[in-house]
Amino acid sequence: MSAEHIRLQEDRDYTKHWKKWGPYLTERQWGTVREDYSPDGAAWENVTHDEARSKAYRWGEEGIAGISDFKQKFCLAWAFWNGKDPFIKERLFGLTGNQGNHGEDVKEIYYYLDSTPTHSYMKMLYKYPQGEYPYRQLVEESQRRGKQDPEFELIDTGLFDEDKYFDIFIEYAKHDIEDIIAIATIHNRGPEEAKLWVMPTLWFRKTWYTGHEPFMPKLSKQGPHTIKAFSPKSGNYTINFEGEPELKFCDNETNRERLYGIPNEKQFPKDAINDYVVNGQSKNLNPKDFGTKAAAIYQITIPAGESRQVKMRLQHKPEGDPLELCDPCMATRKSEADEFYDKLQARVTNKEMRNIQRQAYAGMMWSKQFYYYDVERWLEGDPGRYVPPVSRKSGRNSNWKHLQNYDIISMPDKWEYPWYAAWDLAFHTIPIARLDPEFAKDQLLVLLNEWYMHPNGQIPAYEWNFSDVNPPVHAYAVQRVYQIDKRANNGVGDQEFLERAMHKLMLNFTWWVNQKDSEGQNIFEGGFLGLDNISLFDRSHAQYYEGKLEQADATSWMAMFSLNMLRISLDLCEFNKVYQFTATKFLEHFLYIAGAMSNISKDGISLWDDLDNFFYDVFHLEGKESKKMKVRSIVGLIPLFAVEPIREELFNSLPEFKKRLDFFLREKPKLAALVSSWIQPGYEKRRLFSLLRGHRMKSVLHRMLDSDEFLSDYGIRSLSKYHDKHPYAMKIKGDILSIKYTPGESDTRMFGGNSNWRGPIWFPINYLIIESLKKFDFYYGGNFSIEYPSGSGNFLTMDVIAKELSLRCIKIFLKDENGNRPVYGSSEKFQKDPHFKDYVLFYEYFHGDSGKGLGASHQTGWTGLVAEMIHKYYKEREYSNNASATLFRS
């Protein structure tokens, strides 16, 4: 057992709280719903980036490479100044959703390079230009550009062309649970000597205005290079800095004079350190050297091509020379991180894939965030503080007053999406389960807690609107994580986890049935379902066109949900046979949904189109004939996900389930005929439930695996390329609505235009396609082949096709024969520069033809599924004669 595995075990057993400290600061607290106290809900404009340095936050803290304790009482992050910028760099800059031509976008270059699950070792890289940061240029050029233009990035400004920048590597090592070493190694990549101000910064989150903090915490100077931190709840910490930096103090308080033109409540506001460094103003610094915010200010001159270091150590119980152990401890923890990942990646023999996978895991570990949001208090305001506008009480999230979030949660992207999203989080847990199954299970359970889940059973979507509806993939993730954990635990499953999740998921299932099946006909609506602009119009507002939308994807998601709950019930039968009866319940739901998809409301209307051999949404316009919306999108592929094979021995070990199933299939032969044959067993007498029978399955796969439709060199597209030359249009209530294949960024403003489901490749959908193909292959036992690609004359089993699709997705990040990674497109700097080319960014989605990364640039969340694809590929086989070995030539 590695040292890191021992730490994980100690943390799990509550003998040592190794995760007490971690990368729990967000990268953007400004512009969030939590900090929005405006009357109109304009969160982006209520607290801006420019205001952030002067505004004390209410609900959380932000910083560059920041860490905090798990309740975020005490924080540490890094700030820098190149001597030219109008203010210090203590937070990442980016455009708001209204400034960017494709929505919000961080305009910085940084990478998460390493982290163990307990954060005993972490490493991050931030690239800081030596020239003045082009804040105005980035805003103005982006506003000049339209939806047809690409985003204007920091690399496009030319600041990095002559290598006049600093590479700042920030590393952390835990000597013990509250003994943390931090080292910043700064490289001058430029041709000339350059000066940099480096400021490790400490502060307490402002909790004292909530009415719950009777005593103030305090930072105070204890010597030329030592700061003492005291909190009534956390006790004492001693922070020692190498050398003799300037230690300056102020308070984590709002500069009301700067922001609002009114007198300050406190004399030493939070932006005092900025004003001192940039403008030489010391009037707002506390001359007595104490406060609730402090920084150690280093002025470092670095010759061209050389590097310098800044070292510090935070200790709860200091002993001996505090800085003596910095280097050996860092080296030890780095070695232990290598040991941990060497075990995890033992099968991954390709060096490039190991690098990609480890950076993906690092991004997932760095993307943990302390998330605090008490909706009722947010609506009502704090005692003795500014009273929120009356409009809030009937506005955003006003029907979620029960929601009290105060947890470490895995974020999609800590700058672009610094809030949890229900279906994103479900996918995060799958690769995380390989590193830290306890954390993965905790993440799945947290959204099912009664202080998250609505009393009616709805899982909160995300803070912009908790009532929005995401695809119901939580049960899938629960069952998947349970199986991963069971295999890692020598075949012993976590009954308590599975049973606890099952009970809450039943409430959520009931919510779906009651709220999203308006006519009780087992055909579901659901709205946009996380697929933003996938349809002709915003599917959450079909009533605008005086109609109702029967959704092929919502209905298929519910069929999948039914089978996931069936599978969980069968897994629980290992511990308690009473779950046979819940298995029967969900099986019957599945069969009724299958029947409804072929005959909506018993009116002979089907979501399946016999002419196109594909699934479509059906739009019911009041007083007119229902119409299929013939858009060839992933909406029509999602029925593939409703598939579950069952071993014969499990079936025979559950007599009540078998008895009820036989009765139901005998009495409802039409429903039995709609799904893959149960009567006819597959390989080794395996049984299969699936929405798709032979013909429909083959038809959907034929279209999906056609390179002129869904199949890209880099995975499965979200919209068929058929619509490039054949846009689909429909006239509704006098409006001509159309949709066209758009493989890159969105050309519409639907949902803010910051994502696009009309052609690009998305990892969660590709992952589910791959897993579904493997389930089909398990049933057939490798005795069923499909043409791949369609029209090629080459037939492969579905298992091999699944591996081929995995490789196409992985290829986005791999170097090609010219040494270029498709993810970086035509950027010469990212492709060829020795200080860029081996670092990987995990974008939100990818160009449907070129594989170029698009959208959020650090969405390791669900794009981190590439780590799971690599793991599964090597676990199942090293090579196959039927699979592409050419990818490994590098």
Side-chain angles (χ1 to χ4, degrees):
M1 185 180 291
S2 71
E4 180 64 13
H5 284 102
I6 292 172
R7 283 189 284 268
L8 282 169
Q9 184 172 315
E10 289 175 339
D11 191 83
R12 182 195 66 198
D13 296 340
Y14 302 103
T15 57
K16 294 192 78 171
H17 193 179
W18 281 103
K19 297 177 192 171
K20 182 172 184 176
W21 282 77
Y24 305 144
L25 266 67
T26 185
E27 284 160 359
R28 178 174 62 81
Q29 187 70 13
W30 64 271
T32 62
V33 166
R34 281 154 289 150
E35 301 296 340
D36 175 26
Y37 283 77
S38 67
D40 56 358
W44 280 115
E45 286 71 39
N46 188 59
V47 182
T48 66
H49 177 271
D50 183 61
E51 295 168 336
R53 68 179 178 274
S54 305
K55 172 74 173 177
Y57 292 126
R58 170 62 180 84
W59 299 99
E61 296 292 342
E62 67 195 4
I64 297 174
I67 64 172
S68 76
D69 63 279
F70 72 114
K71 293 183 179 180
Q72 204 165 96
K73 300 290 187 181
F74 189 30
C75 309
L76 161 65
W78 297 77
F80 311 99
W81 190 53
N82 56 17
K84 301 181 179 68
D85 289 350
F87 43 82
I88 64 175
K89 177 71 70 173
E90 58 182 335
R91 61 187 44 80
L92 299 175
F93 173 73
L95 305 184
T96 70
N98 301 317
Q99 289 175 326
N101 60 321
H102 294 287
E104 64 267 34
D105 188 40
V106 67
K107 300 300 183 183
E108 305 273 10
I109 302 174
Y110 58 103
Y111 306 87
Y112 306 119
L113 298 181
D114 212 352
S115 180
T116 58
T118 65
H119 312 295
S120 58
Y121 176 76
M122 298 193 296
K123 185 177 183 180
M124 180 180 170
L125 167 62
Y126 175 64
K127 291 178 177 284
Y128 185 35
Q130 294 170 8
E132 182 178 350
Y133 202 89
Y135 292 103
R136 178 175 294 182
Q137 182 187 7
L138 287 165
V139 173
E140 292 178 351
E141 176 61 21
S142 296
Q143 291 182 329
R144 186 189 66 79
R145 296 189 178 197
K147 287 293 179 185
Q148 305 296 330
D149 300 313
E151 291 180 326
F152 184 63
E153 304 293 359
L154 180 61
I155 199 75
D156 300 324
T157 65
L159 270 181
F160 291 86
D161 289 353
E162 297 178 357
D163 294 331
K164 293 181 179 180
Y165 69 92
F166 299 105
D167 264 345
I168 305 172
F169 292 92
I170 297 164
E171 295 174 281
Y172 293 99
K174 291 182 182 178
H175 188 254
D176 208 332
I177 58 174
E178 293 190 282
D179 186 346
I180 302 170
I181 291 161
I183 300 177
T185 305
I186 304 104
H187 295 262
N188 178 2
R189 301 299 187 194
E192 301 170 353
E193 179 182 270
K195 189 174 183 179
L196 180 68
W197 282 252
V198 180
M199 293 158 277
T201 306
L202 306 160
W203 72 100
F204 289 99
R205 178 168 60 85
K206 188 174 180 181
T207 58
W208 43 93
Y209 60 38
T210 66
H212 295 299
E213 297 285 348
F215 301 103
M216 287 283 290
K218 183 180 179 181
L219 294 163
S220 58
K221 186 175 180 178
Q222 295 294 297
H225 52 72
T226 303
I227 291 175
K228 182 180 178 180
F230 170 76
S231 166
K233 291 187 176 180
S234 304
N236 291 316
Y237 289 96
T238 301
I239 303 94
N240 283 280
F241 302 90
E242 187 177 57
E244 296 190 6
E246 287 188 275
L247 302 182
K248 297 298 179 181
F249 297 79
C250 59
D251 288 311
N252 187 14
E253 299 283 357
T254 297
N255 188 337
R256 293 162 46 131
E257 184 177 330
R258 175 180 180 255
L259 296 183
Y260 314 122
I262 59 177
N264 284 326
E265 288 183 323
K266 303 291 183 180
Q267 186 178 356
F268 311 114
K270 66 177 283 189
D271 54 10
I273 293 168
N274 172 84
D275 293 348
Y276 172 71
V277 172
V278 177
N279 302 316
Q281 297 178 2
S282 59
K283 65 176 183 178
N284 286 340
L285 293 173
N286 190 331
K288 296 183 179 179
D289 292 334
F290 70 84
T292 52
K293 179 180 178 181
I297 303 171
Y298 292 84
Q299 296 184 43
I300 304 173
T301 299
I302 309 175
E306 295 189 18
S307 66
R308 297 290 184 269
Q309 288 188 323
V310 170
K311 300 177 183 179
M312 59 175 290
R313 185 174 180 182
L314 181 153
Q315 294 172 282
H316 194 51
K317 298 177 180 179
E319 295 178 358
D321 183 346
L323 299 174
E324 184 179 7
L325 286 176
C326 284
D327 290 332
C329 179
M330 190 68 72
T332 298
R333 294 294 182 259
K334 172 66 169 68
S335 176
E336 290 169 352
D338 291 341
E339 177 192 24
F340 175 80
Y341 281 106
D342 283 345
K343 289 181 181 294
L344 184 65
Q345 297 181 301
R347 293 187 179 94
V348 184
T349 56
N350 179 266
K351 184 179 178 180
E352 265 294 297
M353 285 207 187
R354 288 174 69 93
N355 177 48
I356 293 163
Q357 188 185 49
R358 185 155 173 178
Q359 288 189 52
Y361 285 139
M364 304 201 82
M365 294 296 96
W366 271 93
S367 294
K368 296 178 184 180
Q369 178 184 313
F370 170 75
Y371 187 87
Y372 181 26
Y373 191 13
D374 182 330
V375 170
E376 186 169 25
R377 171 154 284 196
W378 179 77
L379 292 170
E380 299 292 337
D382 293 310
R385 298 284 300 172
Y386 170 74
V387 179
V390 176
S391 58
R392 288 172 73 101
K393 294 186 178 181
S394 58
R396 177 179 286 141
N397 297 329
S398 57
N399 61 337
W400 287 79
K401 291 182 180 179
H402 73 285
L403 189 137
Q404 293 179 295
N405 299 169
Y406 192 85
D407 289 287
I408 302 300
I409 303 180
S410 175
M411 296 293 142
D413 179 317
K414 288 206 295 187
W415 194 95
E416 294 214 19
Y417 304 114
W419 30 260
Y420 63 82
W423 79 307
D424 296 58
L425 183 59
F427 288 110
H428 299 182
T429 62
I430 295 170
I432 287 175
R434 301 289 178 190
L435 303 175
D436 186 357
E438 295 304 314
F439 182 70
K441 290 183 288 185
D442 175 72
Q443 292 296 284
L444 290 168
L445 291 174
V446 74
L447 293 194
L448 300 178
N449 285 323
E450 52 270 25
W451 50 94
Y452 283 76
M453 178 183 275
H454 198 280
N456 65 16
Q458 184 178 8
I459 293 174
Y462 40 73
E463 67 177 33
W464 287 91
N465 184 0
F466 285 126
S467 294
D468 259 351
V469 183
N470 282 176
V473 294
H474 218 79
Y476 174 83
V478 164
Q479 203 277 328
R480 192 76 198 89
V481 168
Y482 171 78
Q483 291 295 341
I484 292 172
D485 181 48
K486 183 178 180 180
R487 293 190 188 101
N489 199 31
N490 299 316
V492 179
D494 187 340
Q495 178 187 358
E496 181 180 343
F497 160 71
L498 195 60
E499 205 160 15
R500 181 178 163 190
M502 169 74 167
H503 294 164
K504 290 298 185 69
L505 286 168
M506 289 180 72
L507 297 177
N508 182 239
F509 188 93
T510 303
W511 176 83
W512 269 91
V513 171
N514 290 339
Q515 299 293 324
K516 295 303 173 182
D517 177 15
S518 60
E519 296 182 357
Q521 299 292 338
N522 295 295
I523 291 291
F524 294 83
E525 295 135 56
F528 88 113
L529 282 176
L531 306 185
D532 292 19
N533 63 345
I534 194 72
S535 185
L536 290 169
F537 53 79
D538 180 349
R539 298 192 300 173
S540 296
H541 298 98
Q543 68 272 17
Y544 174 81
Y545 291 104
E546 300 176 12
K548 187 181 71 170
L549 192 64
E550 309 280 17
Q551 296 179 216
D553 58 335
T555 306
S556 301
W557 284 123
M558 280 305 291
M560 173 184 167
F561 194 177
S562 300
L563 290 180
N564 296 151
M565 294 298 280
L566 165 65
R567 181 76 253 180
I568 291 172
S569 298
L570 295 177
D571 285 340
L572 284 171
C573 285
E574 178 184 346
F575 309 103
N576 189 339
K577 292 293 194 292
V578 75
Y579 284 103
Q580 292 177 86
F581 301 100
T582 58
T584 302
K585 166 188 167 59
F586 291 112
L587 173 60
E588 292 183 7
H589 266 292
F590 167 73
L591 292 171
Y592 283 127
I593 291 170
M597 288 184 74
S598 294
N599 189 7
I600 300 173
S601 303
K602 300 181 180 178
D603 292 332
I605 305 167
S606 175
L607 298 178
W608 175 260
D609 187 272
D610 285 321
L611 183 62
D612 290 355
N613 287 321
F614 204 66
F615 286 98
Y616 298 118
D617 288 345
V618 173
F619 187 63
H620 300 276
L621 193 61
E622 290 184 13
K624 294 193 176 182
E625 184 179 351
S626 299
K627 293 187 66 174
K628 288 191 177 78
M629 298 174 65
K630 293 193 172 185
V631 178
R632 298 181 189 174
S633 73
I634 53 172
V635 165
L637 302 181
I638 290 173
L640 281 169
F641 304 163
V643 54
E644 191 63 48
I646 298 177
R647 295 178 183 272
E648 175 76 5
E649 55 268 28
L650 177 60
F651 179 67
N652 289 332
S653 69
L654 303 172
E656 290 297 329
F657 176 65
K658 185 177 187 298
K659 177 181 175 182
R660 177 61 184 164
L661 176 61
D662 289 342
F663 172 81
F664 190 85
L665 295 179
R666 185 171 65 251
E667 295 297 317
K668 304 282 187 179
K670 290 183 179 179
L671 291 180
L674 288 171
V675 298
S676 292
S677 176
W678 181 262
I679 306 301
Q680 181 64 43
Y683 180 72
E684 294 184 348
K685 297 184 179 181
R686 293 168 186 165
R687 310 286 180 146
L688 182 74
F689 286 117
S690 169
L691 277 182
L692 300 183
R693 291 175 291 170
H695 169 68
R696 289 187 178 182
M697 180 184 68
K698 290 177 182 178
S699 299
V700 169
L701 290 178
H702 179 81
R703 201 176 291 284
M704 184 184 82
L705 300 176
D706 186 340
S707 58
D708 290 330
E709 295 225 27
F710 288 96
L711 183 64
S712 161
D713 287 345
Y714 306 101
I716 299 299
R717 303 177 176 107
S718 50
L719 188 79
S720 171
K721 198 170 183 177
Y722 168 83
H723 292 302
D724 185 24
K725 297 179 180 178
H726 306 90
Y728 180 77
M730 187 175 181
K731 186 174 183 180
I732 307 177
K733 303 294 288 184
D735 293 341
I736 302 295
L737 306 177
S738 64
I739 191 167
K740 186 179 187 297
Y741 174 67
T742 310
E745 290 162 315
S746 175
D747 59 2
T748 78
R749 289 203 171 272
M750 193 183 295
F751 286 90
N754 66 338
S755 67
N756 183 25
W757 292 83
R758 296 184 174 183
I761 295 151
W762 292 77
F763 265 74
I765 298 300
N766 274 264
Y767 175 78
L768 288 176
I769 288 170
I770 290 164
E771 290 300 298
S772 297
L773 292 177
K774 290 178 181 178
K775 287 185 176 183
F776 279 114
D777 189 78
F778 178 79
Y779 170 71
Y780 290 113
N783 295 319
F784 187 87
S785 297
I786 293 287
E787 191 177 27
Y788 174 86
S790 299
S792 67
N794 184 36
F795 285 80
L796 301 175
T797 64
M798 284 193 279
D799 179 58
V800 173
I801 293 172
K803 291 177 176 61
E804 285 283 341
L805 293 180
S806 290
L807 288 172
R808 289 183 184 234
C809 292
I810 296 166
K811 192 168 70 170
I812 289 171
F813 305 101
L814 283 170
K815 293 178 182 178
D816 62 17
E817 62 276 11
N818 297 313
N820 295 329
R821 302 181 195 272
V823 64
Y824 289 139
S826 59
S827 174
E828 189 72 12
K829 194 74 172 176
F830 282 92
Q831 298 285 19
K832 301 299 185 184
D833 191 289
H835 301 302
F836 281 76
K837 65 186 180 69
D838 292 325
Y839 304 129
V840 182
L841 293 175
F842 299 89
Y843 286 81
E844 183 180 4
Y845 57 99
F846 303 87
H847 194 284
D849 295 333
S850 71
K852 181 184 177 182
L854 302 167
S857 55
H858 294 76
Q859 193 151 342
T860 322
W862 64 20
T863 301
L865 286 165
V866 68
E868 180 67 3
M869 291 178 181
I870 292 171
H871 178 91
K872 293 291 286 289
Y873 179 84
Y874 275 98
K875 179 182 178 183
E876 292 164 7
R877 63 163 184 200
E878 294 293 334
Y879 292 96
S880 168
N881 293 332
N882 295 318
S884 302
T886 56
L887 294 175
F888 297 91
R889 288 174 183 167
S890 61

